[in-house]
Amino acid sequence: MLTNRQLQILQVIVDDFVTSAQPVGSRQISKKDWITSSPATIRNEMADLEELGFIEKTHTSSGRVPSEKGYRFYVDHLLRPISMSTQEIGLFQSIFKNQIVEMEQVIRESANILSDLTSYTTILLGPNVSKHRVKRFQIVPLSEQTAVAIIVTDNGHVENRTITLPQGFFPSDIEKTVNILNERLVGISLLELQSRLELETFYVLRQHVNTADSFIQSLRNVATFQNEGKIYFGGKTNMLNQPEFHDLNKVRALMEMMEKESQVISLFHPEDTGIHIRIGSENNHLVMDDLSVITASYSIGNDQEGSIAIIGPKRMDYQRVVSLLDVMRSGLSSALSNKVNDGL
Amino acid sequence: MLTNRQLQILQVIVDDFVTSAQPVGSRQISKKDWITSSPATIRNEMADLEELGFIEKTHTSSGRVPSEKGYRFYVDHLLRPISMSTQEIGLFQSIFKNQIVEMEQVIRESANILSDLTSYTTILLGPNVSKHRVKRFQIVPLSEQTAVAIIVTDNGHVENRTITLPQGFFPSDIEKTVNILNERLVGISLLELQSRLELETFYVLRQHVNTADSFIQSLRNVATFQNEGKIYFGGKTNMLNQPEFHDLNKVRALMEMMEKESQVISLFHPEDTGIHIRIGSENNHLVMDDLSVITASYSIGNDQEGSIAIIGPKRMDYQRVVSLLDVMRSGLSSALSNKVNDGL
DNA sequence: ATTAGCACTCTTTGTTAATGAGTGCTAACA
DNA sequence: TGTTAGCACTCATTAACAAAGAGTGCTAAT
């Protein structure tokens, strides 16, 4: 177990390094007025902390830098949530107050505000579409051969696909199809849509509609959705201001990573419910070895979920980000839930 | 007027500098086997070319680099379109052949292929929505107070907005409204929609529908569109491989620029019809001083237009890019026009 | 008109030395 | 026994300097 003094020293090392990005030495630590020991004593303690793996040297005679284990210990035991300035709280409320705007707009704004406030990069995962429920089907013919199929969900999301109509498919057939689909499928979630179609609806369709068979493949396409929510970014370029990104190769690697949807999504973990911190290599991604990700989930109504992630250097201001994220998460949840409730 | 030899030398300087990114010296030029003069002669010619403003030195005793005026002369007089390898042509066809995919998919693919082939950044401006014509209106109620308004256009594009319903607005009112809208507005372009609503439709609506007034503002919102097409990027990070972007500040400036929709759009010029080249400061944008933009427009059917831009360093392979862009432009035009025709 | 020759300029690279921040260890101290 | 002052040592950073190399402009010869 760490002594009280060791805890203090570790805390100073992390805090100082977070703000300065420079290795911190014994003299610097002893200058803090709540630290009473002399540099020499502190050096001894630091040697111990290093042996325990909490801090590291960048070279033989340099000051110390927190190790990954050190950060982990810090966030697990030394982190005290701080309260935000009223100015910041005001900023948040300004997004949520505005009732008129669309859900998408609120999410976009949130991402931007978070990245402005932290000067890190924000990734906001929109609510997973597959939990929305079908409110209405619609097929609008464009020509003899093509039409647009539209699904409206209970919270106002609209999905649409262009489909090909089989030859000899008449307006009356379209009408019949739409009726069947609406009768059978309204109220079920997009997630179940695919299987419901296969198991039941197609069968009915074949019975009532001419040339249904060649049409069914089109409908299959309609029912295929991305199974993750839409991705919104805020402050993509903020990271370039961080000193750890003076290295062009790192910049490139990170930028390329952010372009790839699947890799971005892999930063989120569906089992994370509250606020989670992943430090450096804990992200299991080479590019992220020098970065930390803090994720939080928000919920809309009862089950629809979205996530927020803030990506910053390992040397990131964990206290501040966690606090901000907590406010944002509850703000988003209640704002968006209200929107849904208004619509019930 | 430039002598034949000066033209040759200018051409070599541009061509060599484009591939090597290094200032080119007299010795290097004289080594080309179609250049017969000695380095000394070439030095004299280069002094003249410099006096005329076509080339520059990076320092007193360095080789020469094309000036902006030099590039301009090069693209205006020295550029010969080159034919593409069959391999490349095959790549293009592979996108367009696939008939099933959606228009959006084709555009996305095109942007990626172009940036892969050039290793520059591609920006593709989708067709301007405002020229689409209304095919069908639809209003789907979500609750007592909210509904989704949907506009389907003649080529399958779907626009939707969440709207608020006035109190005491019944399903029958919705039906009436939708009927009126469809009667009056089908066939007109989204561009005209706004004015048509104001001048004529709202009047009719007030006569037939209860509490239409408070509903009209919602409809106004529905009829407001972005007046430019959607933006697609390809190879956003390619630029980081260019040696001119070893400077972090330039990287940041460019990335920030690409995040701002309005600035991206300002790279395109609506009056440009064919292929246009803008070199460095010709773009009237500080960030773009070291970059060139080549734009091309493609058309869908008769009037709907979109644009392609390729952004590269001033030292970019103009010949190759122009050729590629020309193929892509006609390929896109015919592929997308076919899609529309299939739908008529 | 062309070119060989040469002095000169400027960048790039490597070497060396000085500076300074910080450590680890030893011995003195409370 | 825990703390601290003192000191030798390490390593990064910076500056100054020299050598090499690429390229130019000019002059004089062809």
Side-chain angles (χ1 to χ4, degrees), chain B residues 5 37-38 40-41 43-44 59-61:
Chain B
R5 189 164 61 195
S37 321
S38 74
T41 313
R43 278 202 290 282
N44 286 328
H59 62 267
T60 5
S61 72

Side-chain angles (χ1 to χ4, degrees), chain B residues 54-258:
Chain B
F54 292 112
I55 54 180
E56 296 169 343
K57 285 188 278 202
T58 61
H59 62 267
T60 5
S61 72
S62 74
R64 300 310 209 291
V65 159
S67 68
E68 226 160 79
K69 185 175 171 189
Y71 283 121
R72 176 43 67 193
F73 187 91
Y74 176 87
V75 302
D76 285 345
H77 302 108
L78 264 28
L79 213 60
R80 302 262 170 280
I82 52 169
S83 55
M84 298 163 51
S85 78
T86 47
Q87 198 188 5
E88 289 172 342
I89 293 182
L91 247 176
F92 277 105
Q93 288 173 338
S94 71
I95 335 171
F96 300 130
K97 203 167 16 185
N98 201 339
Q99 282 289 349
I100 314 161
V101 288
E102 309 246 338
M103 187 188 278
E104 172 149 345
Q105 199 57 36
V106 173
I107 292 180
R108 228 181 262 286
E109 277 288 292
S110 305
N112 284 330
I113 297 230
L114 265 184
S115 59
D116 284 354
L117 248 34
T118 58
S119 57
Y120 304 132
T121 298
T122 303
I123 301 178
L124 229 150
L125 212 57
N128 191 326
V129 199
S130 64
K131 293 207 176 150
H132 296 199
R133 291 173 183 285
V134 174
K135 189 86 186 182
R136 178 85 69 87
F137 269 96
Q138 208 81 56
I139 295 181
V140 177
L142 296 174
S143 70
E144 300 275 312
Q145 303 109 45
T146 60
V148 182
I150 296 174
I151 301 178
V152 182
T153 67
D154 53 357
N155 61 351
H157 181 83
V158 176
E159 284 277 343
N160 66 287
R161 302 274 190 291
T162 309
I163 59 177
T164 316
L165 301 176
Q167 283 212 314
F169 204 73
F170 296 111
S172 63
D173 291 321
I174 292 186
E175 204 175 316
K176 250 191 264 173
T177 307
V178 170
N179 285 338
I180 292 177
L181 292 177
N182 275 316
E183 252 167 53
R184 306 251 150 199
L185 298 172
V186 165
I188 76 166
S189 74
L190 297 192
L191 185 63
E192 302 164 280
L193 191 56
Q194 184 99 39
S195 61
R196 189 68 81 90
L197 277 173
E198 297 290 346
L199 291 178
E200 181 194 322
T201 319
F202 285 157
Y203 176 72
V204 182
L205 218 54
R206 284 198 187 88
Q207 293 187 312
H208 292 80
V209 182
N210 225 0
T211 64
D213 276 316
S214 59
F215 185 53
I216 282 178
Q217 187 52 46
S218 292
L219 288 181
R220 281 209 183 90
N221 285 333
V222 175
T224 320
F225 308 98
Q226 279 196 303
N227 42 2
E228 292 293 342
K230 208 175 158 193
I231 300 174
Y232 304 85
F233 286 94
K236 250 187 186 175
T237 56
N238 279 4
M239 213 65 86
L240 299 183
N241 297 322
Q242 301 293 340
E244 20 274 287
F245 275 85
H246 282 1
D247 179 355
L248 241 296
N249 289 322
K250 280 189 195 168
V251 174
R252 188 185 7 242
L254 178 62
M255 291 290 171
E256 275 167 8
M257 190 274 252
M258 291 202 294

Side-chain angles (χ1 to χ4, degrees), chain A residues 174-327:
Chain A
I174 292 186
E175 205 174 317
K176 251 191 266 174
T177 306
V178 170
N179 285 337
I180 292 176
L181 292 176
N182 275 315
E183 254 167 52
R184 307 252 150 199
L185 298 173
V186 165
I188 77 165
S189 74
L190 298 192
L191 186 64
E192 303 163 280
L193 191 56
Q194 184 100 39
S195 61
R196 188 67 82 90
L197 277 174
E198 297 290 347
L199 292 178
E200 180 194 323
T201 319
F202 286 156
Y203 176 72
V204 181
L205 217 54
R206 283 199 188 88
Q207 293 186 312
H208 292 81
V209 181
N210 225 1
T211 63
D213 275 317
S214 58
F215 185 53
I216 282 178
Q217 186 52 47
S218 291
L219 287 181
R220 280 209 184 88
N221 285 334
V222 175
T224 318
F225 309 98
Q226 280 195 302
N227 44 0
E228 292 294 343
K230 205 173 160 195
I231 300 175
Y232 303 85
F233 287 93
K236 250 189 186 175
T237 57
N238 280 4
M239 214 65 86
L240 300 183
N241 297 322
Q242 302 292 341
E244 20 275 287
F245 275 86
H246 282 1
D247 179 355
L248 240 295
N249 289 321
K250 281 189 194 166
V251 173
R252 191 190 359 248
L254 178 63
M255 291 289 171
E256 274 167 8
M257 190 274 251
M258 291 202 294
E259 300 284 304
K260 302 216 179 99
E261 199 156 305
S262 63
Q263 298 199 10
V264 171
I265 287 183
S266 74
L267 294 178
F268 296 90
H269 298 257
E271 71 276 12
D272 293 357
T273 49
I275 291 190
H276 273 255
I277 302 180
R278 286 198 170 71
I279 298 162
S281 64
E282 295 174 9
N283 288 293
N284 290 321
H285 196 311
L286 198 64
V287 186
M288 305 294 295
D289 274 5
D290 292 327
L291 300 172
S292 285
V293 180
I294 305 189
T295 56
S297 59
Y298 63 92
S299 54
I300 307 178
N302 280 330
D303 45 13
Q304 297 174 46
E305 287 213 335
S307 302
I308 318 172
I310 292 191
I311 304 184
K314 271 203 295 207
R315 176 192 64 73
M316 117 194 269
D317 189 339
Y318 293 95
Q319 303 216 99
R320 186 171 155 71
V321 172
V322 167
S323 309
L324 283 173
L325 221 39
D326 200 38
V327 176

